[in-house]
Amino acid sequence: MTLQFSLGTTAPATVDTACVVVGVYEQGVLTSAAAQVDSACDGMIKRQVESGDISGKAGSSTLLFAPAGVAAKRVLVMGLGAQKSLDAARFQKVNIEAARALGRLPVTDAASYLTEVDVPGRDSAWRVRIAALASDHAAYRYTATFKPRDRSKQPELAALAFAAAADAQAGLDQAVAIAEGVRFARELANLPPNICNPAYIASQAQAFADTQDAVSCTVLDHVEMEQLGFGSLLAVARGSVNKPRLIALEYNGGNDGDKPYAFVGKGVTFDSGGISLKPGAGMEEMKFDMGGAAGVLGAFVAAVKMGLKLNLVCVVPSVENMPDGDSYRPSDVLTSLSGLTIEVLNTDAEGRLILCDALTWTAQKFQPQAMVDAATLTGACVIALGKHATGLMSKHDDLAAELLAAGEETLDRAWRLPLWDDYQAQLDSGFADVANIGGKSAGAITAGCFLSRFTDGQRWAHLDIAGTAWDDGRKGLATGRPVALLAQWLLDRAG
């Protein structure tokens, strides 16, 4: 079920809804909406604050059922933390927790007044957009389940209204489009690898293109790629019965002749490590190794749904990396589409081998004005930045600054790592132009350095989302990052 959003200006004490959401700061300070509700129900909120039942701690929630004097059947009081230090990240957290609390209630509709809370430096449209995206993220349920459905399931939240004037409508419209892209990415990445293989990703891209007049889709199979010289990508795919695909979506929202922006996303639908086999523990998470593909496809969906006035290309090289009698091996030397030769030192460093050919092809075919790739590329990036920040690498300071700013605006944040030539020597090979790994030190950076050799003359940036694309654990789900970051970057480019 897709959560439907709207704006409203009805007073919180009189709005007709199953649940109204208001906020209380620490030290018992009530927001304007909470004060109005409190006045209508004869001081019920203040009494619970004084008794300690409502703490105001950030993200905490207290439910008041059927308070007299209020039209809503329930009042959900959310803790906002200290008023003086409320910032964008805490605002997002409170809205996520509010949506989770609503999801535990037997309600189908609610009205949130958290969007009236003052966040320094942020306007109403931003607050509505962040609240809607946070709520949609919290309300997401993996629907392509293979478990029996619970027939006695309680009603689910289907409609959420935010308190805001009409000038916030643009923010809500953007949120709806970006949320659709995030759901597209999450659903694709969460699917099991026996369903979501390269052919399946291609079918989903084609299905989306078929519904959009301004979008076209091209899919190359292994025969066509072999004719073109995709020697590096095809080597990775050799060990699997699931044949590779190169998927290219084109959106013509700008002027004819305008150079497009380009996304390239790593689409390894399952990564066993190949001959350099991964440890068994945790290997089930390697269905998420196509998180880069899911992310750029989701960002593409968001851009199309927003109707951005620009041209955009989204390229996904998709393979499955498996051990087999025909698998590529450590010490193999591959000839990439660019003509550079690559010595394979580890078959588990496969993402860069499919990306290098895709980046070369994208640059040659589309001559983009800027190119950004996203990939669950290195465990080293997870060690460096954890699960909170995406690793960003670029030799173009202006492009890096644009992407960092987009991340700060959406709270889908990135952190820049150096891409200095000092690191390139770690990729030296005695048998080819370049080795596919650079040793155990600076692994995320040397992976970026490897890709940089295939982007000469291009305005290019690399996003390593190995830490941010999915949540840990056997029940961890795809996050949909970096859809919001990339969508904001395109919004900024479109003006």
Side-chain angles (χ1 to χ4, degrees), residues 102 105 120 166 226 234 324 331 366 443:
L102 288 170
L105 300 176
E226 187 170 8
L234 291 174
D324 178 78
S331 79
F366 300 107

Side-chain angles (χ1 to χ4, degrees), residues 88-153:
R90 198 198 307 164
F91 178 79
Q92 181 188 51
K93 173 187 174 181
V94 169
N95 279 279
I96 289 174
E97 293 305 325
R100 286 174 177 163
L102 288 170
R104 294 189 289 268
L105 300 176
V107 301
T108 58
D109 63 282
S112 174
Y113 288 78
L114 298 177
T115 44
E116 292 182 336
V117 172
D118 181 52
V119 182
R122 308 292 188 173
D123 62 12
S124 177
W126 181 91
R127 295 194 302 269
V128 166
R129 191 174 76 167
I130 290 296
L133 287 171
S135 301
D136 194 81
H137 192 277
Y140 170 81
R141 299 292 181 270
Y142 174 52
T143 56
T145 180
F146 296 88
K147 297 193 299 183
R149 294 191 178 276
D150 182 2
R151 296 186 182 276
S152 62
K153 202 170 184 180

